[in-house]
Amino acid sequence: MTPPHDDSAIVATLLAQPDRAIFLDFDGTLVDLAATPDGVRLQPGVREALSRLAAHHDGALAIVSGRPVDQIDAMLAPLVLPVAGVHGVERRGFDGQLHVAPTPDISPVLARAQSLAVLHPGLLVEHKRGAVALHYRLAPELEQLCVREMTAAVQACPGVLLLHGKMVLEAKPAASDKGGAIAAFMREAPFAGRVPVFAGDDTTDEAGFATVQQAGGTGVKVGAGASVAERRLDSPDALRAVLLATPQPEPGVAYDDIV
């Protein structure tokens, strides 16, 4: 039986409506979380389902992730979609143009995170464009130490915000977030004039939920936890099931034909 908080049928209906603009987070949403960022795997059929969904919406489907754009491309290859990476610091539109937002100096945060990781081998540091992520999934007992150290480092860096995600702390530019990335997509073809839907799983996705709902669209929270999102899916498995059931585009039409 579908859990009472699982809106799979409603989400399937939303994704099938041809006037929607679809935005999807990646980790914890399209793919299950893993012990390390490079340990995630795209389940069979998901790439093809994304291609069908993009064709169904005339290309108005984008990935909005904390990962860099090139990592998303590598995960989805040979499929190439519009992508916002590093919480909106990087954004490639439908036209293929890459937009890069200005970023503050995060070298002090990077140095502090790397020093911490040297002392505690269970910690993993990711250095992205204008951002630093400190993962403690392999050392959950170090959470408070990581929070204390990263908070102090960020406080010494103007223009940098600390995000508390699922077993990760990420320092990123305060001026860039997923809500801003979605808003930028919505000003461009083929997203403009459509009703946005955004699915995500973490606190880093809340700005995106707020943005789409303020625009009359729908936020979809994947998994447990408090959220401003109006709709809920039980797990990434539930979202993948919805995607795998997406309608076929018109005969002879594929996403590659419209890009």
Side-chain angles (χ1 to χ4, degrees):
M1 179 180 295
T2 301
H5 60 282
D6 190 292
D7 294 317
S8 289
I10 294 172
V11 174
T13 298
L14 289 172
L15 296 188
Q17 293 174 359
D19 65 339
R20 305 290 146 159
I22 310 302
F23 302 98
L24 302 170
D25 175 44
F26 195 77
D27 293 79
T29 300
L30 278 177
V31 299
D32 295 311
L33 295 174
T36 61
D38 60 0
V40 304
R41 295 292 180 268
L42 197 67
Q43 294 296 315
V46 172
R47 184 181 294 106
E48 294 75 15
L50 291 174
S51 181
R52 291 197 304 271
L53 190 62
H56 183 67
H57 292 282
D58 296 325
L61 184 151
I63 305 300
V64 183
S65 175
R67 288 180 180 268
V69 168
D70 60 356
Q71 287 188 16
I72 297 297
D73 285 347
M75 294 280 188
L76 296 181
L79 179 63
V80 179
L81 295 171
V83 180
V86 197
H87 310 282
V89 172
E90 304 172 345
R91 190 180 65 84
R92 185 183 63 222
F94 183 83
D95 61 2
Q97 182 177 353
L98 181 66
H99 306 268
V100 179
T103 58
D105 178 20
I106 59 160
S107 55
V109 181
L110 177 62
R112 196 151 184 171
Q114 290 175 331
S115 296
L116 201 60
V118 168
L119 295 174
H120 304 280
L123 301 179
L124 174 66
V125 178
E126 271 191 291
H127 183 200
K128 311 174 191 180
R129 189 193 302 265
V132 176
L134 178 64
H135 298 263
Y136 55 91
R137 187 173 298 276
L138 297 177
E141 71 280 3
L142 298 178
E143 177 180 6
Q144 292 306 312
L145 173 64
C146 292
V147 170
R148 185 167 63 251
E149 291 293 315
M150 288 293 281
T151 298
V154 165
Q155 286 175 343
C157 289
V160 178
L161 177 70
L162 186 64
L163 295 178
H164 296 244
K166 293 179 177 177
M167 311 296 282
V168 60
L169 297 163
E170 184 157 2
K172 69 165 197 68
S176 297
D177 62 30
K178 292 185 178 182
I182 291 172
F185 278 125
M186 292 297 294
R187 292 191 290 269
E188 302 172 350
F191 303 92
R194 292 172 172 267
V195 181
V197 177
F198 175 50
D201 74 302
D202 208 347
T203 54
T204 59
D205 300 308
E206 292 298 310
F209 298 147
T211 294
V212 299
Q213 289 173 179
Q214 288 167 5
T218 306
V220 182
K221 167 78 170 180
V222 178
S227 177
V228 300
E230 295 174 348
R231 297 298 176 185
R232 178 86 59 162
L233 290 176
D234 190 52
S235 65
D237 272 339
L239 176 63
R240 289 192 290 264
V242 170
L243 292 175
L244 292 172
T246 52
Q248 294 283 349
E250 295 179 10
V253 176
Y255 179 69
D256 288 345
D257 296 327
I258 61 176
V259 297

